[in-house]
Amino acid sequence: MIRRTARLRKEFVYRKSLEGKERELYEKKRKIRQCLEEGKVIPTELRNSEASLRTEIALEDTNTAVNGNAADDEYAKANERDPKVLVTTSRDPSSRLTQFVKEVKLLFPTSRRINRGAQVLPDLVELCRSNDFTDLVMVHEHRGEPDGLVISHMPFGPTAYFGLTNTVMRHDVKDQDIGTVSEANPHLVLENFTTPLGKRTANILKHLFPSPKDGKSKRVITFANDSDYIAMRHHTYEMPRGASSCALTEVGPRFEMKLYQIKLGTIDADDADVEWSLRPFMRSSKKKRL
């Protein structure tokens, strides 16, 4: 099993190493295709390889005409089956963090929660791989307050690290009757994820949830990005007078997320490449936003 995992990881890293060459070839074919469609002259730097590139363009279909990258490859088969998420905490969790991770588990319909105990990260990753989990979600705390969320996609990554703020749990709302949590597959609302980094983040988040089986689900989970802070809200809705009326009921929990790192590897891979990281010098007008 360990040899097979190592072999698959080497194959994945090799495919990633070819990404730059594939992107360069894709740009050349795109320029030739554009020139042919607009009736323009082929650029001078592409005339030597024009014949071979035209042959490749003629053989392409709708799938191969699009440039493939690591993000597509990691989630290439994610839609073939429902996600299976493992939820756990950091070591020696407080009672508040234990309560919070129980509520986080209820957000994902196809998830399972385990107690961390004395398990180290490599053991958790191997547990996910051997039991066919698609993602590992780990919650951290500081002095009893949840302050970190890690999402690691199996079997090879990526891993996204989020900071948590303004956490409000269901049991904190005592004056309102918020009811029980529905186990139906939720509808997802991903708002304002427009940049390449935002699309990458939205791709990581949306693959934690299975698609609704039908249109009858009245459960909605929202991830709304505003100035790089992602607000998570969990609602159910009713339409008592048809489509013209809609009443929202917040179910909870609620929190805000701040992305600070994306790593090309699983959570236990210390030597994995960092795809994106938040740096102090990025706080400028040219900052790469979600």
Side-chain angles (χ1 to χ4, degrees), residues 9 13 121-122 125 129 152 154-159 161 261 263-274:
R9 177 64 188 173
V13 172
L121 290 180
V125 172
R129 288 171 175 164
S152 184
M154 298 295 155
F156 306 126
T159 301
Y161 296 83
Q261 190 180 77
K263 187 170 66 173
L264 291 176
T266 53
I267 190 174
D268 64 326
D270 297 331
D271 57 344
D273 294 335
V274 176

Side-chain angles (χ1 to χ4, degrees), residues 144-179:
E145 189 66 25
D147 72 334
L149 182 72
V150 184
I151 301 172
S152 184
H153 185 64
M154 298 295 155
F156 306 126
T159 301
Y161 296 83
F162 297 90
L164 296 184
T165 55
N166 301 330
T167 303
V168 179
M169 291 185 272
R170 284 174 49 86
H171 79 281
D172 292 336
V173 184
K174 300 179 181 179
D175 298 332
Q176 302 178 11
D177 184 13
I178 57 177

Side-chain angles (χ1 to χ4, degrees), residues 164-222:
L164 296 184
T165 55
N166 301 330
T167 303
V168 179
M169 291 185 272
R170 284 174 49 86
H171 79 281
D172 292 336
V173 184
K174 300 179 181 179
D175 298 332
Q176 302 178 11
D177 184 13
I178 57 177
T180 58
V181 178
S182 172
E183 295 184 359
N185 294 351
H187 299 283
L188 289 183
V189 177
L190 298 167
E191 183 180 353
N192 201 19
F193 293 89
T194 54
T195 65
L197 177 61
K199 293 177 181 178
R200 174 69 155 157
T201 306
N203 200 42
I204 293 173
L205 293 173
K206 73 179 182 180
H207 282 103
L208 296 173
F209 302 90
S211 302
K213 299 300 182 183
D214 50 34
K216 298 180 180 179
S217 175
K218 295 184 177 181
R219 184 183 180 195
V220 181
I221 293 181
T222 304

